[in-house]
């Protein structure tokens, strides 16, 4: 049984502009201890998918229209808010794109880490402080005994992201969702943070759902990839398979658009056209208007995610 | 803590400049006033000669700048002068009435916060729903109703009709409730509006999402994570408020027969008793200076990013 399994998840937003379906029929699994990459262009619904798993969608404007989300065999969508609070931060943790603003500026990092631990474990403050210092050391924060009493504004972006990671992992969750954890950081720090995640995965054994729009990061750190386009998963497979034999024309386009050391200097090929916005998705395949391989069927019927596991793709005319 | 010492000295210097400015402005305004204090003291039937004598006695015949310098030089010696009418030292009069006003202020600030903060938080959490709309309408009424109307209304309902509180006067906790509430309703209206917008702003922040992600419940997020950040603009506001308060205090003390410096000021204004008016104005200025100082000193304890400048 998979650690996390999502089936037919659809999420819509209801704003002044009317109802928009953002995520449609998303199904995937994450096995225990696995690192899975979720890639796609900006606005395709990666964060919304992550927030659905965490149960952190803004309740006033969004709705989960259908689907199931199971973590460790427990159906998360059936849990009440109180029960969900027990799962969040304990069985699954999350880190975000913006380390500069993700920590509360008015509390020391020690306070915030101890809180994360004591929300789920009954420990004395002294015991909790000990565990927190140990955790900070594990995520590579130097002089953690001193750092615990510092405020977020006294720390660099890279350090803050390490603190966020420590906070997400302090209860040893089985799943870590990392939503573009390095996008806001310097290139050198980016690599350090990703190396750290990999190291922690080996140390603590949790699974990671790594959200990124960088296929290079996926190639280096992930075991499996989910490719998302306009709210749907359009291809999923192992990393090796994806780079060797991409089947969906969109995936192919993404790979061609990746900068490579071997590629000749000059303009990278880009995918022509733009992503249809949530309100303006066509009837058939959402990629049809930008696709070089499209046929008549593509603009009438949506291709299902099909194929022999582990390699599945949603395309009527897959790339050979 | 050496930094704090320098800071305090700097602030005291600033405060002194502000005080001198305020005495000058008040002095000019009183000088330009068409009312003649000497005539007030002498009474309607007094001869022109008597009035002139009184004027000379009080030094009111001197040119403006000389009067002002005289006032200033006794002020630096801690002498606020004597009341024209009551013939008592102004310092003595003010000191005897200050405790009542301070008590009223403490009561009013407590009312403001007890009404304003929970209402503002509730409105933010229930944004767009019935509770939010109701609170915003009520706070609008609170902000716009004149205080003498509110005071008289409260007196009528809770003192005259229900008899829960004394009709006026001073002495017990029951005496304090209605005047404090009259002042507090206005402030409560302001604070609920400020708190609502501040809270809405904070609840959108990334660190609130982080707190939810670690499994904190709604109550904990509001009280621990949001409140501390949202309260900062309120603290600055309380500092200013102490000043705005003084005008309300004059009205409310008169309505409720509260023996504070507001009532003293009201009587003095009617009789053009310049030393008292000057004295009370200085005390009000002190309140503002001290209120702002306290707000500035407290802020870094609430938000460590703020430094004393
Ligand atoms: N709070 C919100 N209110 C309204 N619409 C929203 C909200 N959050 C997300 N959306 C909609 O959902 C869509 C998907 O957003 P999401 O944040 O999941 O994209 P993403 O794939 O994470 O993009 P990025 O790479 O930029 O983070 C967006 O196009 C946006 O229109
Ligand atoms: Mg995102």
């Amino acid at each position: 049984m998979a650690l996390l399994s999502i089936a037919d998840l659809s999420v819509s937003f209801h704003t002044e502009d009317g109802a928009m379906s953002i995520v449609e029929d998303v199904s995937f699994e994450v096995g225990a201890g696995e690192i899975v990459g979720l890639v796609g262009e900006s606005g395709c619904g990666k964060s919304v998918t992550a927030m659905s798993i965490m149960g952190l969608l803004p309740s006033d404007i969004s709705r989960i229209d259908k689907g199931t989300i199971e973590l460790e065999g427990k159906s998360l969508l059936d849990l009440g808010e109180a029960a969900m609070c027990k799962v969040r931060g304990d069985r699954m943790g999350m880190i975000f794109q913006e380390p500069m603003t993700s920590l509360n500026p008015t509390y020391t990092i020690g306070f915030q880490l101890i809180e994360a631990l004591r929300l789920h474990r009954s420990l004395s403050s002294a015991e909790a402080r000990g565990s927190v210092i140990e955790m900070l050391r594990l995520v590579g924060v130097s002089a953690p005994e001193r750092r615990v009493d510092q405020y977020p504004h006294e720390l660099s972006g890279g350090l803050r992201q390490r603190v966020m990671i420590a906070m997400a992992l302090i209860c040893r969750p089985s799943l870590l969702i990392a939503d573009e954890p390095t996008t806001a950081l310097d290139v050198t720090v980016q690599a350090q943070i990703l190396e750290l995640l990999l190291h922690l995965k080996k140390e603590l054994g949790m699974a990671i759902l790594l959200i990124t729009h960088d296929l290079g990061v996926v190639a280096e750190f992930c075991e499996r990839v989910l490719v998302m386009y306009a709210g749907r998963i359009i291809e999923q497979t192992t990393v090796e398979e994806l780079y060797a034999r991409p089947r969906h024309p969109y995936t192919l386009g993404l790979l061609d658009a990746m900068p490579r050391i071997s590629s000749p200097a000059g303009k990278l090929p880009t995918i022509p056209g733009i992503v249809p916005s949530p309100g303006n998705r066509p009837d058939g395949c959402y990629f049809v208007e930008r696709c070089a391989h499209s046929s008549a069927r593509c603009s009438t019927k949506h291709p299902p995610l099909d194929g022999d596991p582990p390699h599945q793709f949603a395309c009527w005319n897959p790339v050979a | 803590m050496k930094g704090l010492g320098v800071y305090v000295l700097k602030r005291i210097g600033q405060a002194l400049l502000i005080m001198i400015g305020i005495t000058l402005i008040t002095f000019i305004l009183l000088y330009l006033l068409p009312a003649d204090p000497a005539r007030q003291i002498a009474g309607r039937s007094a001869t022109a000669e008597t009035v002139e004598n009184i004027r000379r006695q009080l030094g009111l015949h001197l040119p403006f700048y000389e009067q002002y310098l005289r006032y200033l030089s006794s002020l630096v010696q801690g002498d606020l002068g004597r009341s024209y009418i009551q013939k008592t030292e102004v310092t003595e009069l003010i000191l005897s009435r200050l405790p009542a006003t301070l008590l009223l202020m403490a009561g009013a600030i407590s009312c403001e916060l007890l009404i304003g903060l929970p209402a503002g938080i509730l409105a933010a959490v229930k944004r767009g729903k019935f509770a939010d709309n109701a609170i915003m309408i009520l706070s609008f009424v609170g902000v716009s109703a004149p205080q003498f109307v509110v005071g008289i209304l409260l007196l009528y309902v809770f003192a005259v009709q229900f008899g829960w509180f004394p009709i006026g006067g001073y002495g017990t906790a029951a005496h304090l409730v209605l005047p404090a509430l009259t002042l507090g309703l206005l402030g409560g209206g302001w604070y609920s509006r400020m708190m609502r917008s501040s809270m809405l702003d904070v609840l959108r922040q990334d660190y609130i999402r982080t707190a939810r992600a670690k499994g904190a419940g709604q109550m904990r997020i509001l009280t621990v994570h949001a409140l501390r950040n949202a309260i900062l603009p309120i603290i600055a506001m309380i500092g200013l408020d102490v000043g705005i308060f003084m005008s309300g205090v004059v009205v409310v003390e008169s309505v409720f027969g509260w023996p504070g410096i507001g009532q003293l000021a009201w009587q003095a204004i009617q009789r053009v008793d310049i030393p008292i008016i000057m004295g009370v104005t200085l005390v009000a200025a002190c309140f503002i200076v001290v209120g702002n100082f306290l707000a500035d000193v407290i802020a870094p304890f609430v938000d460590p990013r703020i430094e004393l400048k």
Side-chain angles (χ1 to χ4, degrees), chain A residues 101-102 107 112 115 120, chain B residues 206 209-210 214 220 224-225:
Chain A
T101 51
S102 289
Y107 292 101
Q112 298 182 56
E115 180 190 29
H120 302 285
Chain B
D206 290 336
R209 182 183 61 187
T210 304
K214 61 182 166 180
R220 188 171 173 86
V224 177
H225 290 274

Side-chain angles (χ1 to χ4, degrees), chain A residues 41-48 50 97-98 179-180 211 213, chain B residues 209:
Chain A
E41 278 164 289
S42 190
C44 70
K46 304 182 296 289
S47 296
V48 169
Q97 184 176 338
E98 308 82 8
D179 190 353
E180 307 195 27
I211 297 174
H213 42 232
Chain B
R209 182 183 61 187

Side-chain angles (χ1 to χ4, degrees), chain A residues 21 27 60 175 292:
Chain A
S21 105
S27 305
D60 47 345
L175 174 69

Side-chain angles (χ1 to χ4, degrees), chain B residues 24 140 170 179:
Chain B
L24 183 60
F140 185 72
Y170 174 68

